[in-house]
């Protein structure tokens, strides 16, 4: 019964994704569709996109090892969503002519800013896609008994197929289904887990006392704050989330959808983390990476197990398809087109974007073969984005008029600080290099912007250039 449910779910998702490809004519259709989605669609597709293998299976594995401190660290991501909803999303209406992050960056920092953002966008999206593909292989292997390689081939093959054909429309439609499954499946799994261990009180007695405290020898206060900030800053305004800011029917719908997604993530992260504690209480000798699959596989009754397994697959697929689509749009819109003497036509751009989706997906498959812990891969992937792009992107979105020189100085300082702190000094005091890189970028960007304003009233716009946002 469970296998029938899962196979049926996969066929439905594939069918809807392929059907959504009808009427896709241009790169703009492929990337932002009709820009008329309601706040509830924005909420569902945003939540489904960011809750992938790292924030579910990876979270349970980390809580299995470190305790509830990892849940609190993940709430840094939740806080980030709430801040975006309050301060960034309300300004999204000013960028409705853009189809990508690079297009937004070009407004202030010219072609240089767009291309740098595009290259880094492709890298971070490909890395996170690889993490999701690796999680997909583990899910198929654990629940359906196929090899990890076969699981990656099946799951990623489905995602690549409908993402390549249907673009953002397919991503949004399949996200809606996947959101319902993850919203129901994870709480159900935790309820059955609590029943098995005898409730929360019995769970607290069964796990090490340190797992229910925020700080320990493994998680010092400084390390927790650093991890909190890494989750808060690392995925902020990466390409798929910015795409969600560009497809709402208006700025209010976008802001409210972002707010609800942030609020939804708070209990969701707690639920997936507590499932790691349930696994620890029942099987303390378990491989931590198997904690969430173990609970679902052994504690849920037939039928419900199939729905939850489908939800697990949906969680991973919903992140993989979003980052896959965003990577292809960034490659075409922010790297290839700006570097060409003549931009690709709408039809050419669409076909090249589809080819890029296919190639990035296949690359993610190769990358996923070497993945061990999904959450660790996510943290590594963040290094390609936040220390360079985050500060100037937020500045542009909230209306700060900075220039190309300010962008380059801030970016150089961010990369230099990250490299020295992480690779040379080996993250002293457990403070992540990503956090240091973002702070260095912020300080340098702010100082350079102020100097520009004093010297020549700077912060001006870049020289006029041909090309679209």
């Amino acid at each position: 019964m469970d296998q029938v449910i899962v196979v049926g779910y996969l066929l439905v998702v594939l069918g809807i994704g392929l059907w959504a490809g009808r009427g896709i004519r241009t790169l703009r259709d492929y990337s932002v569709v009709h820009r008329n989605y309601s706040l509830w669609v924005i909420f569902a597709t945003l939540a489904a996109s960011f809750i992938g293998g790292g924030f579910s299976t990876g979270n349970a594995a980390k809580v299995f090892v470190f305790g509830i401190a990892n849940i609190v660290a993940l709430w840094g991501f939740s806080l980030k969503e709430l801040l975006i909803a309050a301060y960034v999303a309300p300004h999204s209406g000013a960028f409705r002519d853009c189809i990508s992050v690079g297009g937004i960056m070009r407004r202030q920092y010219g072609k240089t800013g767009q291309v740098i953002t595009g290259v880094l966008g492709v890298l971070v999206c490909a890395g996170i896609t690889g993490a999701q593909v690796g999680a997909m292989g583990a899910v198929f292997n654990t629940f359906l008994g196929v090899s990890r390689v076969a699981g990656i081939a099946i799951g990623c093959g489905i995602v690549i197929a409908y993402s390549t054909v249907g673009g953002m429309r397919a991503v949004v439609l399949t996200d809606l289904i996947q959101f319902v499954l993850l919203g129901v499946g994870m709480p159900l799994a935790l309820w059955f887990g609590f029943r098995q261990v005898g409730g929360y009180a019995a769970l607290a007695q069964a796990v090490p006392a340190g797992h229910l405290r925020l700080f320990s020898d493994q998680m010092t206060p400084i390390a927790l704050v650093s991890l909190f900030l890494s989750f808060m800053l690392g995925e902020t305004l990466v390409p798929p989330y910015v795409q969600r800011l560009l497809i709402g029917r208006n700025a209010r719908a976008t802001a409210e959808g972002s707010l609800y997604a942030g609020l939804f993530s708070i209990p969701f992260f707690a639920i997936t983390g507590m499932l790691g504690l349930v696994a620890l209480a029942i099987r303390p000798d378990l491989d931590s990476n198997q904690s969430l699959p173990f609970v679902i596989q052994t504690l849920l009754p037939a039928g419900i197990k199939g729905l939850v397994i489908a939800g697990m697959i949906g969680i991973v697929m919903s992140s993989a398809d979003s980052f896959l689509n965003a990577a292809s749009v960034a490659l075409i819109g922010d790297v290839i087109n700006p570097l060409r003497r003549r931009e690709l036509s709408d039809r050419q751009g669409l076909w090249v974007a589809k080819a890029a989706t296919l190639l990035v997906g296949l690359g993610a498959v190769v990358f996923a073969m070497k993945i061990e812990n999904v959450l660790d891969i996510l943290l590594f992937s963040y290094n390609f984005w936040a220390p360079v792009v985050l500060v100037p992107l937020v500045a542009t979105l909230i209306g700060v008029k900075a220039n190309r020189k300010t962008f380059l100085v801030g970016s150089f300082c961010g990369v230099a600080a990250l490299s020295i702190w992480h690779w040379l000094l080996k993250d002293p005091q457990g403070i992540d290099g990503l956090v240091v890189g973002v702070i260095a970028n912020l300080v340098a960007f702010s100082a350079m912007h102020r100097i520009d304003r004093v010297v020549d009233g700077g912060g001006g716009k870049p020289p006029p250039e041909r090309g679209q946002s």
Side-chain angles (χ1 to χ4, degrees), residues 417-429:
L418 165 68
S419 302
I420 293 171
W421 190 268
H422 180 66
W423 282 286
L424 185 61
L425 301 180
K426 307 298 182 183
D427 294 339
Q429 304 298 319

Side-chain angles (χ1 to χ4, degrees), residues 238-379:
V238 291
Y241 306 156
V242 174
Q243 281 181 298
R244 270 53 179 186
L245 299 182
L246 300 176
I247 65 175
R249 63 176 50 147
N250 52 49
R252 179 178 177 181
T254 300
E256 291 185 359
S258 300
L259 172 64
Y260 295 151
L263 294 174
F264 171 81
S265 71
I266 296 173
F268 187 88
F269 293 157
I271 288 170
T272 56
M274 291 301 293
L275 285 167
L277 290 183
V278 169
L280 178 63
I282 299 172
R283 280 280 305 277
D285 60 334
L286 189 69
D287 177 0
S288 63
N289 290 318
Q290 293 298 313
S291 53
L292 182 54
F294 167 78
V295 172
I296 295 172
Q297 190 82 329
T298 60
L299 303 186
L300 302 188
I304 293 178
K305 183 193 298 185
L307 291 174
V308 176
I309 293 173
M312 282 290 300
I313 295 172
I315 284 174
V316 182
M317 281 186 166
S318 60
S319 286
D321 59 20
S322 297
F323 282 92
L324 200 54
N325 177 265
S328 66
V329 172
L331 181 61
I332 305 306
D334 298 331
V335 180
I336 293 178
N337 268 341
L339 294 178
R340 285 174 56 91
R341 296 185 63 181
R342 175 182 293 181
E343 290 190 357
L344 297 169
S345 68
D346 283 343
R347 188 170 182 83
Q348 289 173 326
L350 175 61
W351 281 107
V352 176
K354 290 184 175 183
T357 300
L358 178 61
L359 291 175
V360 172
L362 294 176
V365 169
V366 175
F367 180 65
M369 299 299 180
K370 300 181 180 180
I371 289 176
E372 293 183 4
N373 183 276
V374 178
L375 210 54
D376 291 337
I377 298 300
L378 291 183
L379 288 171

